[in-house]
Amino acid sequence: MSRGRPDRGGVPATGDGRRSTTVLGRAVVADALRAVDPVGARSAEHETDWRHGYLFHFRRLVEAGLLSREAALTVARDGLAALHARMRYVPSDGAEVALEEAFALPDREPPLETATVTGAGPVERELSLPYRGQRLRGDDLRRRLDAWVDAGVVEPSCAEAVRVVQANPDWLDLSDQRIVVLGAGAEMGPLPSVLRWGGAVVAVDLPRPEIWRRLLRNAHRYGGRLHLPVRPGTAADDAALAAGAGADLLHRLPQAARWLGGLDGRLVLGNYVYANGATNVRVATAVDALTAHLGRHRPDAALAFLATPTDVYAVPAEAVAHAERGYAARGPARRALRVLSGGRLLHRNYPPGADPGINDSLVPQQGPNYALAKRLQRWRAAVAGDAGATVSFTVAPPTRTRSVLRNRALAAAYAGAHRFGIEVFEPATSNTLMAALLVHDLRTGGGPAQEHPWRDEAYAAAHGGLWRVPYAPRSALGLAVLLGLGGARA
């Protein structure tokens, strides 16, 4: 690995030996489109500026899938197949192999053992939501859900799903399942809530003591049980557990798979991993390979995904109508700004009467690697759901996570987003809301059956308002950044 360059092992090498996620992403998108949109496939293959041009092609993936349910599933299946055929697995002490061969590699490391920590804290049996310094429950929570629906911050089906969980507090006890949190240290994961409700969490994250010290504090604080992978012979005290815990999905994937496959109980495989740049594609692919492998050996396993709101989605006619009402009511200052900008700023979110509408909330600053990693999860959710698996797939709201706030432009955009009717959530609010929706999906077999995958994605979406604001999000992004610069600095 050359100095200053990221580790891209696993990304296939091109003819000149380079490992390029640009070449990879372009090829995967083209293959995903080829059967249902051959013109779109050729367009992706010939894109010369993938870093900026990817926005158009990722939108086209959604539009091509709207032709029919089978078209959407074909895009998903072919996209997954294209990525798996190209990516490689690089063990920590050996040469790279095809991804499909990874799980057949002989054991080179001792098997992981399981340590269990049982919390001594109280178990909560009532759904409550932290929000702006308060903890909402009962009627206060119901009023907040109503306010979000009225403002277009969440879809009505999201509020209804939370109300169903609120009316069935016994559902919160997830001790009958093993909630596997891949990326256990992530701010958006359900780990704190599941432990608060007395459930059983299987935590998977890198062998970094600072991550495990934080997770162990959560385990002691609440009343649930935390299962963690540890090196053989690790002592049971917190210091030893933090030093000995962890599973490396990039370089020791078979070891992690064998450990998870040997756990008792029904697994709920939750994907909450994130990394920067090319590593995000690599770790997302590793998790998808793990998901497919465990699905073959543990057919009762459920899957859970949090989808990013900054992507392209088909949205229901009701969301389009909400946005159109806002566009018709816009003030003279915003009308003038659109005219003065030559139509580049503040153009309408949807063509009038679109059904479904296409909400394009891709953010150029996040880049094509992020888009591919998140689209991979959507493809897996669609394919697994079609095969009969229980799948929890929820569009999460814009959230002030550490990874977002490290990007100055995104931090500024989030600080100014409220000027355009978009609510940006705090991590504690987001992860609790998403955990409640996970409970709903697990207790209802994945929620109501839908006739098309786009409706599965739209169900219970908590998009923060991106789907229902009057303006196409990218046409307001620059203004949001300017208006939010002061808030972001604060």
Side-chain angles (χ1 to χ4, degrees):
M1 182 172 63
S2 61
R3 182 181 301 175
R5 292 181 62 84
D7 173 14
R8 298 197 178 192
V11 176
T14 59
D16 59 4
R18 293 181 304 116
R19 296 185 184 272
S20 169
T21 53
T22 292
V23 173
L24 173 69
R26 194 164 49 206
V28 169
V29 170
D31 281 356
L33 285 169
R34 200 172 313 281
V36 297
D37 182 5
V39 173
R42 287 193 296 274
S43 177
E45 286 176 322
H46 293 99
E47 176 62 64
T48 58
D49 184 11
W50 190 251
R51 179 62 185 82
H52 301 94
Y54 80 93
L55 299 165
F56 169 79
H57 304 289
F58 273 82
R59 177 180 177 125
R60 193 149 186 168
L61 286 167
V62 174
E63 293 173 331
L66 292 179
L67 294 171
S68 66
R69 174 182 179 84
E70 190 52 41
L73 291 170
T74 296
V75 169
R77 293 189 190 104
D78 291 354
L80 290 172
L83 191 67
H84 280 246
R86 288 175 170 83
M87 290 292 283
R88 299 292 181 263
Y89 171 65
V90 184
S92 57
D93 56 355
E96 68 179 34
V97 298
L99 192 60
E100 64 181 14
E101 299 173 11
F103 301 101
L105 291 175
D107 292 325
R108 291 176 176 171
E109 310 95 5
L112 293 167
E113 296 180 351
T114 303
T116 300
V117 176
T118 302
V123 171
E124 185 172 300
R125 283 291 178 263
E126 179 187 18
L127 180 61
S128 63
L129 185 72
Y131 186 71
R132 298 184 177 177
Q134 298 179 294
R135 193 146 198 117
L136 306 181
R137 47 175 49 88
D139 288 341
D140 288 336
L141 176 54
R142 283 185 278 271
R143 282 191 287 270
R144 172 44 44 199
L145 294 170
D146 290 341
W148 277 337
V149 170
D150 291 344
V153 171
V154 305
E155 290 303 288
S157 53
C158 173
E160 181 56 32
V162 176
R163 291 190 195 99
V164 172
V165 174
Q166 192 179 17
N168 294 274
D170 55 306
W171 284 8
L172 297 176
D173 180 5
L174 294 174
S175 57
D176 59 324
Q177 313 199 39
R178 300 291 177 265
I179 311 300
V180 180
V181 182
L182 302 172
E187 290 179 90
M188 290 294 288
L191 183 144
S193 292
V194 176
L195 293 177
R196 176 190 293 274
W197 299 328
V201 172
V202 177
V204 177
D205 214 314
L206 291 167
R208 294 177 180 169
E210 67 274 14
I211 294 175
W212 295 100
R213 283 192 289 268
R214 178 159 46 88
L215 296 180
L216 288 166
R217 285 195 295 270
N218 269 326
H220 292 302
R221 180 181 177 185
Y222 302 122
R225 304 181 77 190
L226 181 69
H227 305 284
L228 53 159
V230 296
R231 293 193 299 266
T234 300
D237 61 280
D238 280 8
L241 290 175
D248 186 345
L249 299 180
L250 279 182
H251 301 112
R252 296 185 174 178
L253 182 59
Q255 183 191 45
R258 291 178 186 116
W259 178 69
L260 287 169
L263 295 176
D264 294 332
R266 185 203 190 193
L267 299 183
V268 179
L269 204 62
N271 186 343
Y272 307 98
V273 299
Y274 172 77
N276 290 321
T279 305
N280 201 19
V281 175
R282 295 172 59 215
V283 72
T285 304
V287 169
D288 192 67
L290 176 66
T291 300
H293 174 77
L294 288 176
R296 290 189 291 269
H297 293 84
R298 302 285 293 263
D300 65 330
L303 306 182
F305 302 91
L306 288 187
T308 177
T310 51
D311 203 339
V312 183
Y313 296 96
V315 305
E318 293 82 359
V320 174
H322 189 127
E324 281 299 295
R325 289 192 295 272
Y327 191 80
R330 68 198 187 283
R334 294 191 175 183
R335 292 175 189 265
L337 186 59
R338 172 160 168 73
V339 173
L340 291 172
S341 70
R344 291 188 302 273
L345 297 176
L346 302 184
H347 58 79
R348 67 196 323 151
N349 211 347
Y350 309 101
D355 183 14
I358 299 294
N359 180 265
D360 186 348
S361 294
L362 282 166
V363 175
Q365 288 84 352
Q366 291 180 309
N369 289 328
Y370 179 82
L372 180 59
K374 298 307 290 185
R375 194 61 61 92
L376 171 62
Q377 297 175 11
R378 291 172 63 178
W379 289 340
R380 178 58 61 189
V383 170
D386 182 64
T390 295
V391 176
S392 176
F393 179 96
T394 310
V395 177
T399 304
R400 294 183 182 88
T401 59
R402 289 185 295 270
S403 62
V404 166
L405 296 182
R406 279 196 293 266
N407 184 304
R408 292 179 62 187
L410 283 177
Y414 274 23
H418 66 282
R419 305 287 189 93
F420 298 94
I422 296 167
E423 181 167 346
V424 179
F425 285 46
E426 294 301 322
T429 303
S430 279
N431 65 42
T432 306
L433 179 64
M434 296 297 100
L437 293 171
L438 171 63
V439 169
H440 174 271
D441 291 342
L442 293 177
R443 298 307 188 196
T444 60
Q450 308 284 347
E451 70 273 21
H452 194 288
W454 80 258
R455 292 192 179 276
D456 285 319
E457 295 182 340
Y459 178 76
H463 44 72
L466 288 166
W467 292 10
R468 290 179 175 248
V469 292
Y471 308 111
R474 279 204 302 282
S475 75
L477 180 64
L479 290 175
V481 170
L482 290 174
L483 293 169
L485 280 173
R489 291 193 188 99

